PDB file of all heavy atoms in Angstrom:
ATOM      1  N   SER A 136      40.011  38.647 -26.696  1.00 95.00           N
ATOM      2  CA  SER A 136      41.093  37.718 -27.129  1.00 95.00           C
ATOM      3  C   SER A 136      41.036  36.515 -26.171  1.00 95.00           C
ATOM      4  O   SER A 136      40.596  36.538 -25.126  1.00 95.00           O
ATOM      5  CB  SER A 136      42.453  38.318 -27.069  1.00 95.00           C
ATOM      6  OG  SER A 136      42.819  38.651 -25.649  1.00 95.00           O
ATOM      7  N   PHE A 137      41.578  35.398 -26.774  1.00 95.00           N
ATOM      8  CA  PHE A 137      41.670  34.092 -25.954  1.00 95.00           C
ATOM      9  C   PHE A 137      42.635  34.359 -24.839  1.00 95.00           C
ATOM     10  O   PHE A 137      42.377  33.764 -23.711  1.00 95.00           O
ATOM     11  CB  PHE A 137      42.079  32.943 -26.795  1.00 95.00           C
ATOM     12  CG  PHE A 137      41.962  31.721 -26.122  1.00 95.00           C
ATOM     13  CD1 PHE A 137      40.787  31.022 -25.964  1.00 95.00           C
ATOM     14  CD2 PHE A 137      43.081  31.054 -25.678  1.00 95.00           C
ATOM     15  CE1 PHE A 137      40.634  29.814 -25.267  1.00 95.00           C
ATOM     16  CE2 PHE A 137      43.029  29.821 -24.997  1.00 95.00           C
ATOM     17  CZ  PHE A 137      41.823  29.241 -24.842  1.00 95.00           C
ATOM     18  N   ASP A 138      43.659  35.173 -25.018  1.00 95.00           N
ATOM     19  CA  ASP A 138      44.584  35.441 -23.951  1.00 95.00           C
ATOM     20  C   ASP A 138      43.942  36.158 -22.776  1.00 95.00           C
ATOM     21  O   ASP A 138      44.218  35.805 -21.609  1.00 95.00           O
ATOM     22  CB  ASP A 138      45.726  36.307 -24.504  1.00 95.00           C
ATOM     23  CG  ASP A 138      46.592  35.678 -25.482  1.00 95.00           C
ATOM     24  OD1 ASP A 138      46.671  34.425 -25.505  1.00 95.00           O
ATOM     25  OD2 ASP A 138      47.152  36.382 -26.351  1.00 95.00           O
ATOM     26  N   MET A 139      42.966  37.039 -23.017  1.00 97.00           N
ATOM     27  CA  MET A 139      42.307  37.637 -21.958  1.00 97.00           C
ATOM     28  C   MET A 139      41.530  36.589 -21.114  1.00 97.00           C
ATOM     29  O   MET A 139      41.490  36.670 -19.939  1.00 97.00           O
ATOM     30  CB  MET A 139      41.276  38.763 -22.533  1.00 97.00           C
ATOM     31  CG  MET A 139      40.446  39.370 -21.520  1.00 97.00           C
ATOM     32  SD  MET A 139      41.353  40.405 -20.412  1.00 97.00           S
ATOM     33  CE  MET A 139      40.080  41.194 -19.403  1.00 97.00           C
ATOM     34  N   TYR A 140      40.793  35.720 -21.825  1.00 98.00           N
ATOM     35  CA  TYR A 140      40.021  34.670 -21.142  1.00 98.00           C
ATOM     36  C   TYR A 140      40.982  33.863 -20.222  1.00 98.00           C
ATOM     37  O   TYR A 140      40.590  33.576 -19.094  1.00 98.00           O
ATOM     38  CB  TYR A 140      39.330  33.788 -22.187  1.00 98.00           C
ATOM     39  CG  TYR A 140      38.571  32.569 -21.481  1.00 98.00           C
ATOM     40  CD1 TYR A 140      37.368  32.825 -20.986  1.00 98.00           C
ATOM     41  CD2 TYR A 140      39.164  31.376 -21.369  1.00 98.00           C
ATOM     42  CE1 TYR A 140      36.629  31.751 -20.355  1.00 98.00           C
ATOM     43  CE2 TYR A 140      38.514  30.280 -20.714  1.00 98.00           C
ATOM     44  CZ  TYR A 140      37.296  30.517 -20.208  1.00 98.00           C
ATOM     45  OH  TYR A 140      36.602  29.502 -19.623  1.00 98.00           O
ATOM     46  N   VAL A 141      42.056  33.397 -20.730  1.00 97.00           N
ATOM     47  CA  VAL A 141      42.907  32.585 -19.963  1.00 97.00           C
ATOM     48  C   VAL A 141      43.559  33.315 -18.636  1.00 97.00           C
ATOM     49  O   VAL A 141      43.618  32.830 -17.615  1.00 97.00           O
ATOM     50  CB  VAL A 141      44.213  32.171 -20.823  1.00 97.00           C
ATOM     51  CG1 VAL A 141      45.219  31.418 -19.949  1.00 97.00           C
ATOM     52  CG2 VAL A 141      43.720  31.151 -21.884  1.00 97.00           C
ATOM     53  N   LYS A 142      43.869  34.681 -18.888  1.00 98.00           N
ATOM     54  CA  LYS A 142      44.343  35.460 -17.768  1.00 98.00           C
ATOM     55  C   LYS A 142      43.212  35.566 -16.623  1.00 98.00           C
ATOM     56  O   LYS A 142      43.516  35.521 -15.519  1.00 98.00           O
ATOM     57  CB  LYS A 142      44.748  36.848 -18.173  1.00 98.00           C
ATOM     58  CG  LYS A 142      46.168  36.855 -18.824  1.00 98.00           C
ATOM     59  CD  LYS A 142      46.640  38.311 -18.917  1.00 98.00           C
ATOM     60  CE  LYS A 142      48.127  38.346 -19.312  1.00 98.00           C
ATOM     61  NZ  LYS A 142      48.632  39.724 -19.317  1.00 98.00           N
ATOM     62  N   VAL A 143      42.042  35.814 -17.083  1.00 98.00           N
ATOM     63  CA  VAL A 143      40.964  35.985 -16.143  1.00 98.00           C
ATOM     64  C   VAL A 143      40.626  34.630 -15.394  1.00 98.00           C
ATOM     65  O   VAL A 143      40.413  34.609 -14.120  1.00 98.00           O
ATOM     66  CB  VAL A 143      39.638  36.456 -16.902  1.00 98.00           C
ATOM     67  CG1 VAL A 143      38.386  36.295 -16.014  1.00 98.00           C
ATOM     68  CG2 VAL A 143      39.906  37.822 -17.412  1.00 98.00           C
ATOM     69  N   VAL A 144      40.714  33.485 -16.129  1.00 98.00           N
ATOM     70  CA  VAL A 144      40.564  32.248 -15.454  1.00 98.00           C
ATOM     71  C   VAL A 144      41.739  31.964 -14.428  1.00 98.00           C
ATOM     72  O   VAL A 144      41.452  31.626 -13.285  1.00 98.00           O
ATOM     73  CB  VAL A 144      40.689  31.100 -16.561  1.00 98.00           C
ATOM     74  CG1 VAL A 144      40.915  29.696 -15.834  1.00 98.00           C
ATOM     75  CG2 VAL A 144      39.482  31.094 -17.396  1.00 98.00           C
ATOM     76  N   ARG A 145      42.965  32.261 -14.752  1.00 98.00           N
ATOM     77  CA  ARG A 145      44.065  32.115 -13.863  1.00 98.00           C
ATOM     78  C   ARG A 145      44.038  33.087 -12.635  1.00 98.00           C
ATOM     79  O   ARG A 145      44.568  32.705 -11.592  1.00 98.00           O
ATOM     80  CB  ARG A 145      45.334  32.263 -14.673  1.00 98.00           C
ATOM     81  CG  ARG A 145      45.645  31.127 -15.576  1.00 98.00           C
ATOM     82  CD  ARG A 145      46.886  31.287 -16.407  1.00 98.00           C
ATOM     83  NE  ARG A 145      47.031  30.196 -17.307  1.00 98.00           N
ATOM     84  CZ  ARG A 145      47.972  30.099 -18.275  1.00 98.00           C
ATOM     85  NH1 ARG A 145      48.801  31.073 -18.516  1.00 98.00           N
ATOM     86  NH2 ARG A 145      48.050  29.002 -19.026  1.00 98.00           N
ATOM     87  N   ALA A 146      43.359  34.208 -12.846  1.00 98.00           N
ATOM     88  CA  ALA A 146      43.131  35.152 -11.689  1.00 98.00           C
ATOM     89  C   ALA A 146      42.104  34.729 -10.789  1.00 98.00           C
ATOM     90  O   ALA A 146      41.932  35.271  -9.742  1.00 98.00           O
ATOM     91  CB  ALA A 146      42.876  36.490 -12.310  1.00 98.00           C
ATOM     92  N   GLY A 147      41.269  33.687 -11.126  1.00 98.00           N
ATOM     93  CA  GLY A 147      40.238  33.161 -10.168  1.00 98.00           C
ATOM     94  C   GLY A 147      38.923  33.760 -10.274  1.00 98.00           C
ATOM     95  O   GLY A 147      38.102  33.492  -9.401  1.00 98.00           O
ATOM     96  N   ALA A 148      38.600  34.322 -11.470  1.00 98.00           N
ATOM     97  CA  ALA A 148      37.189  34.875 -11.628  1.00 98.00           C
ATOM     98  C   ALA A 148      36.162  33.743 -11.749  1.00 98.00           C
ATOM     99  O   ALA A 148      36.534  32.630 -12.139  1.00 98.00           O
ATOM    100  CB  ALA A 148      37.157  35.813 -12.903  1.00 98.00           C
ATOM    101  N   GLN A 149      34.966  34.120 -11.393  1.00 98.00           N
ATOM    102  CA  GLN A 149      33.861  33.230 -11.482  1.00 98.00           C
ATOM    103  C   GLN A 149      33.341  32.973 -12.918  1.00 98.00           C
ATOM    104  O   GLN A 149      32.948  31.911 -13.429  1.00 98.00           O
ATOM    105  CB  GLN A 149      32.697  33.609 -10.691  1.00 98.00           C
ATOM    106  CG  GLN A 149      32.823  33.452  -9.141  1.00 98.00           C
ATOM    107  CD  GLN A 149      31.456  33.839  -8.454  1.00 98.00           C
ATOM    108  OE1 GLN A 149      30.422  33.223  -8.846  1.00 98.00           O
ATOM    109  NE2 GLN A 149      31.475  34.702  -7.532  1.00 98.00           N
ATOM    110  N   ALA A 150      33.370  34.090 -13.685  1.00 98.00           N
ATOM    111  CA  ALA A 150      32.859  34.123 -15.073  1.00 98.00           C
ATOM    112  C   ALA A 150      33.362  35.317 -15.699  1.00 98.00           C
ATOM    113  O   ALA A 150      33.992  36.229 -15.133  1.00 98.00           O
ATOM    114  CB  ALA A 150      31.358  34.085 -15.089  1.00 98.00           C
ATOM    115  N   ILE A 151      33.183  35.377 -17.088  1.00 99.00           N
ATOM    116  CA  ILE A 151      33.616  36.646 -17.848  1.00 99.00           C
ATOM    117  C   ILE A 151      32.395  37.071 -18.686  1.00 99.00           C
ATOM    118  O   ILE A 151      31.794  36.205 -19.329  1.00 99.00           O
ATOM    119  CB  ILE A 151      34.804  36.268 -18.721  1.00 99.00           C
ATOM    120  CG1 ILE A 151      35.278  37.510 -19.385  1.00 99.00           C
ATOM    121  CG2 ILE A 151      34.596  35.202 -19.704  1.00 99.00           C
ATOM    122  CD1 ILE A 151      36.785  37.385 -19.973  1.00 99.00           C
ATOM    123  N   MET A 152      32.133  38.322 -18.710  1.00 98.00           N
ATOM    124  CA  MET A 152      31.045  38.879 -19.533  1.00 98.00           C
ATOM    125  C   MET A 152      31.677  39.817 -20.561  1.00 98.00           C
ATOM    126  O   MET A 152      32.498  40.725 -20.215  1.00 98.00           O
ATOM    127  CB  MET A 152      30.110  39.745 -18.636  1.00 98.00           C
ATOM    128  CG  MET A 152      29.230  39.010 -17.748  1.00 98.00           C
ATOM    129  SD  MET A 152      27.895  40.019 -17.065  1.00 98.00           S
ATOM    130  CE  MET A 152      28.819  41.409 -16.488  1.00 98.00           C
ATOM    131  N   TYR A 153      31.380  39.608 -21.845  1.00 98.00           N
ATOM    132  CA  TYR A 153      31.919  40.406 -22.936  1.00 98.00           C
ATOM    133  C   TYR A 153      30.945  41.385 -23.509  1.00 98.00           C
ATOM    134  O   TYR A 153      29.711  41.085 -23.488  1.00 98.00           O
ATOM    135  CB  TYR A 153      32.351  39.438 -24.121  1.00 98.00           C
ATOM    136  CG  TYR A 153      33.537  38.511 -23.767  1.00 98.00           C
ATOM    137  CD1 TYR A 153      33.331  37.165 -23.597  1.00 98.00           C
ATOM    138  CD2 TYR A 153      34.859  38.926 -23.649  1.00 98.00           C
ATOM    139  CE1 TYR A 153      34.344  36.329 -23.288  1.00 98.00           C
ATOM    140  CE2 TYR A 153      35.888  38.133 -23.419  1.00 98.00           C
ATOM    141  CZ  TYR A 153      35.636  36.745 -23.240  1.00 98.00           C
ATOM    142  OH  TYR A 153      36.671  35.961 -23.037  1.00 98.00           O
ATOM    143  N   PHE A 154      31.430  42.486 -23.974  1.00 98.00           N
ATOM    144  CA  PHE A 154      30.580  43.367 -24.838  1.00 98.00           C
ATOM    145  C   PHE A 154      31.506  43.844 -25.956  1.00 98.00           C
ATOM    146  O   PHE A 154      32.729  43.630 -25.933  1.00 98.00           O
ATOM    147  CB  PHE A 154      30.007  44.507 -23.946  1.00 98.00           C
ATOM    148  CG  PHE A 154      31.060  45.605 -23.531  1.00 98.00           C
ATOM    149  CD1 PHE A 154      31.282  46.696 -24.202  1.00 98.00           C
ATOM    150  CD2 PHE A 154      31.743  45.307 -22.303  1.00 98.00           C
ATOM    151  CE1 PHE A 154      32.218  47.622 -23.756  1.00 98.00           C
ATOM    152  CE2 PHE A 154      32.636  46.199 -21.795  1.00 98.00           C
ATOM    153  CZ  PHE A 154      32.865  47.386 -22.563  1.00 98.00           C
ATOM    154  N   ARG A 155      30.933  44.494 -26.885  1.00 98.00           N
ATOM    155  CA  ARG A 155      31.697  44.917 -28.080  1.00 98.00           C
ATOM    156  C   ARG A 155      31.584  46.388 -28.174  1.00 98.00           C
ATOM    157  O   ARG A 155      30.526  47.030 -27.902  1.00 98.00           O
ATOM    158  CB  ARG A 155      31.112  44.301 -29.336  1.00 98.00           C
ATOM    159  CG  ARG A 155      32.088  44.315 -30.544  1.00 98.00           C
ATOM    160  CD  ARG A 155      31.727  43.374 -31.542  1.00 98.00           C
ATOM    161  NE  ARG A 155      30.400  43.580 -32.145  1.00 98.00           N
ATOM    162  CZ  ARG A 155      29.734  42.734 -32.892  1.00 98.00           C
ATOM    163  NH1 ARG A 155      30.259  41.586 -33.218  1.00 98.00           N
ATOM    164  NH2 ARG A 155      28.571  42.973 -33.290  1.00 98.00           N
ATOM    165  N   THR A 156      32.598  47.026 -28.616  1.00 97.00           N
ATOM    166  CA  THR A 156      32.635  48.597 -28.688  1.00 97.00           C
ATOM    167  C   THR A 156      32.238  49.108 -30.024  1.00 97.00           C
ATOM    168  O   THR A 156      32.245  50.309 -30.176  1.00 97.00           O
ATOM    169  CB  THR A 156      34.134  49.105 -28.373  1.00 97.00           C
ATOM    170  OG1 THR A 156      35.051  48.455 -29.392  1.00 97.00           O
ATOM    171  CG2 THR A 156      34.609  48.622 -26.993  1.00 97.00           C
ATOM    172  N   GLU A 157      31.773  48.274 -30.937  1.00 96.00           N
ATOM    173  CA  GLU A 157      31.257  48.766 -32.167  1.00 96.00           C
ATOM    174  C   GLU A 157      29.924  48.082 -32.506  1.00 96.00           C
ATOM    175  O   GLU A 157      29.552  47.155 -31.881  1.00 96.00           O
ATOM    176  CB  GLU A 157      32.297  48.478 -33.317  1.00 96.00           C
ATOM    177  CG  GLU A 157      32.694  47.043 -33.384  1.00 96.00           C
ATOM    178  CD  GLU A 157      33.908  46.786 -34.129  1.00 96.00           C
ATOM    179  OE1 GLU A 157      34.733  47.801 -34.410  1.00 96.00           O
ATOM    180  OE2 GLU A 157      34.132  45.622 -34.597  1.00 96.00           O
ATOM    181  N   GLY A 158      29.304  48.579 -33.632  1.00 96.00           N
ATOM    182  CA  GLY A 158      27.951  48.082 -33.935  1.00 96.00           C
ATOM    183  C   GLY A 158      26.803  48.738 -33.170  1.00 96.00           C
ATOM    184  O   GLY A 158      27.003  49.607 -32.407  1.00 96.00           O
ATOM    185  N   ASP A 159      25.687  48.131 -33.375  1.00 98.00           N
ATOM    186  CA  ASP A 159      24.494  48.743 -32.618  1.00 98.00           C
ATOM    187  C   ASP A 159      24.587  48.451 -31.090  1.00 98.00           C
ATOM    188  O   ASP A 159      24.957  47.317 -30.659  1.00 98.00           O
ATOM    189  CB  ASP A 159      23.214  48.000 -33.170  1.00 98.00           C
ATOM    190  CG  ASP A 159      21.972  48.693 -32.579  1.00 98.00           C
ATOM    191  OD1 ASP A 159      21.587  48.434 -31.495  1.00 98.00           O
ATOM    192  OD2 ASP A 159      21.370  49.365 -33.417  1.00 98.00           O
ATOM    193  N   PRO A 160      24.420  49.485 -30.328  1.00 98.00           N
ATOM    194  CA  PRO A 160      24.682  49.427 -28.910  1.00 98.00           C
ATOM    195  C   PRO A 160      23.704  48.383 -28.126  1.00 98.00           C
ATOM    196  O   PRO A 160      24.072  47.862 -27.067  1.00 98.00           O
ATOM    197  CB  PRO A 160      24.511  50.767 -28.397  1.00 98.00           C
ATOM    198  CG  PRO A 160      23.660  51.452 -29.406  1.00 98.00           C
ATOM    199  CD  PRO A 160      24.063  50.870 -30.695  1.00 98.00           C
ATOM    200  N   SER A 161      22.574  48.079 -28.823  1.00 98.00           N
ATOM    201  CA  SER A 161      21.700  47.121 -28.140  1.00 98.00           C
ATOM    202  C   SER A 161      21.846  45.694 -28.548  1.00 98.00           C
ATOM    203  O   SER A 161      21.269  44.733 -28.082  1.00 98.00           O
ATOM    204  CB  SER A 161      20.236  47.480 -28.458  1.00 98.00           C
ATOM    205  OG  SER A 161      19.918  47.538 -29.853  1.00 98.00           O
ATOM    206  N   GLY A 162      22.771  45.480 -29.489  1.00 98.00           N
ATOM    207  CA  GLY A 162      23.062  44.087 -29.972  1.00 98.00           C
ATOM    208  C   GLY A 162      23.897  43.366 -29.089  1.00 98.00           C
ATOM    209  O   GLY A 162      24.811  43.826 -28.443  1.00 98.00           O
ATOM    210  N   ILE A 163      23.609  41.995 -28.895  1.00 98.00           N
ATOM    211  CA  ILE A 163      24.390  41.070 -28.129  1.00 98.00           C
ATOM    212  C   ILE A 163      25.336  40.406 -29.074  1.00 98.00           C
ATOM    213  O   ILE A 163      24.934  39.631 -30.010  1.00 98.00           O
ATOM    214  CB  ILE A 163      23.498  40.103 -27.403  1.00 98.00           C
ATOM    215  CG1 ILE A 163      22.559  40.957 -26.390  1.00 98.00           C
ATOM    216  CG2 ILE A 163      24.357  39.108 -26.673  1.00 98.00           C
ATOM    217  CD1 ILE A 163      21.484  40.032 -25.794  1.00 98.00           C
ATOM    218  N   PRO A 164      26.594  40.616 -28.919  1.00 98.00           N
ATOM    219  CA  PRO A 164      27.619  40.148 -29.927  1.00 98.00           C
ATOM    220  C   PRO A 164      27.809  38.604 -30.027  1.00 98.00           C
ATOM    221  O   PRO A 164      27.668  37.987 -29.035  1.00 98.00           O
ATOM    222  CB  PRO A 164      28.973  40.839 -29.606  1.00 98.00           C
ATOM    223  CG  PRO A 164      28.833  41.113 -28.121  1.00 98.00           C
ATOM    224  CD  PRO A 164      27.300  41.324 -27.806  1.00 98.00           C
ATOM    225  N   TYR A 165      28.061  38.145 -31.358  1.00 98.00           N
ATOM    226  CA  TYR A 165      28.484  36.774 -31.490  1.00 98.00           C
ATOM    227  C   TYR A 165      29.978  36.720 -31.267  1.00 98.00           C
ATOM    228  O   TYR A 165      30.753  37.319 -31.965  1.00 98.00           O
ATOM    229  CB  TYR A 165      28.118  36.347 -32.888  1.00 98.00           C
ATOM    230  CG  TYR A 165      28.794  35.094 -33.388  1.00 98.00           C
ATOM    231  CD1 TYR A 165      28.984  33.959 -32.480  1.00 98.00           C
ATOM    232  CD2 TYR A 165      29.344  35.002 -34.636  1.00 98.00           C
ATOM    233  CE1 TYR A 165      29.598  32.853 -33.003  1.00 98.00           C
ATOM    234  CE2 TYR A 165      29.982  33.862 -35.103  1.00 98.00           C
ATOM    235  CZ  TYR A 165      30.195  32.830 -34.255  1.00 98.00           C
ATOM    236  OH  TYR A 165      30.771  31.658 -34.651  1.00 98.00           O
ATOM    237  N   LEU A 166      30.427  36.065 -30.181  1.00 98.00           N
ATOM    238  CA  LEU A 166      31.859  35.860 -29.949  1.00 98.00           C
ATOM    239  C   LEU A 166      32.159  34.327 -29.750  1.00 98.00           C
ATOM    240  O   LEU A 166      31.230  33.575 -29.372  1.00 98.00           O
ATOM    241  CB  LEU A 166      32.205  36.626 -28.692  1.00 98.00           C
ATOM    242  CG  LEU A 166      31.914  38.078 -28.701  1.00 98.00           C
ATOM    243  CD1 LEU A 166      32.036  38.719 -27.249  1.00 98.00           C
ATOM    244  CD2 LEU A 166      32.851  38.853 -29.685  1.00 98.00           C
ATOM    245  N   GLY A 167      33.368  33.969 -29.879  1.00 98.00           N
ATOM    246  CA  GLY A 167      33.767  32.596 -29.662  1.00 98.00           C
ATOM    247  C   GLY A 167      35.148  32.384 -29.068  1.00 98.00           C
ATOM    248  O   GLY A 167      36.077  33.143 -29.276  1.00 98.00           O
ATOM    249  N   LEU A 168      35.233  31.304 -28.312  1.00 98.00           N
ATOM    250  CA  LEU A 168      36.602  30.897 -27.669  1.00 98.00           C
ATOM    251  C   LEU A 168      37.304  29.836 -28.532  1.00 98.00           C
ATOM    252  O   LEU A 168      38.463  29.916 -28.677  1.00 98.00           O
ATOM    253  CB  LEU A 168      36.358  30.393 -26.262  1.00 98.00           C
ATOM    254  CG  LEU A 168      35.832  31.503 -25.278  1.00 98.00           C
ATOM    255  CD1 LEU A 168      35.275  30.767 -23.942  1.00 98.00           C
ATOM    256  CD2 LEU A 168      36.846  32.462 -24.990  1.00 98.00           C
TER     257      LEU A 168
END
Side-chain angles (χ1 to χ4, degrees):
S136 68
F137 189 76
D138 294 334
M139 177 66 175
Y140 177 83
V141 172
K142 278 195 172 185
V143 168
V144 168
R145 291 175 178 173
Q149 290 187 49
I151 186 167
M152 292 193 306
Y153 294 106
F154 69 98
R155 200 164 57 193
T156 58
E157 54 194 20
D159 189 282
S161 61
I163 298 169
Y165 163 44
L166 302 167
L168 294 170

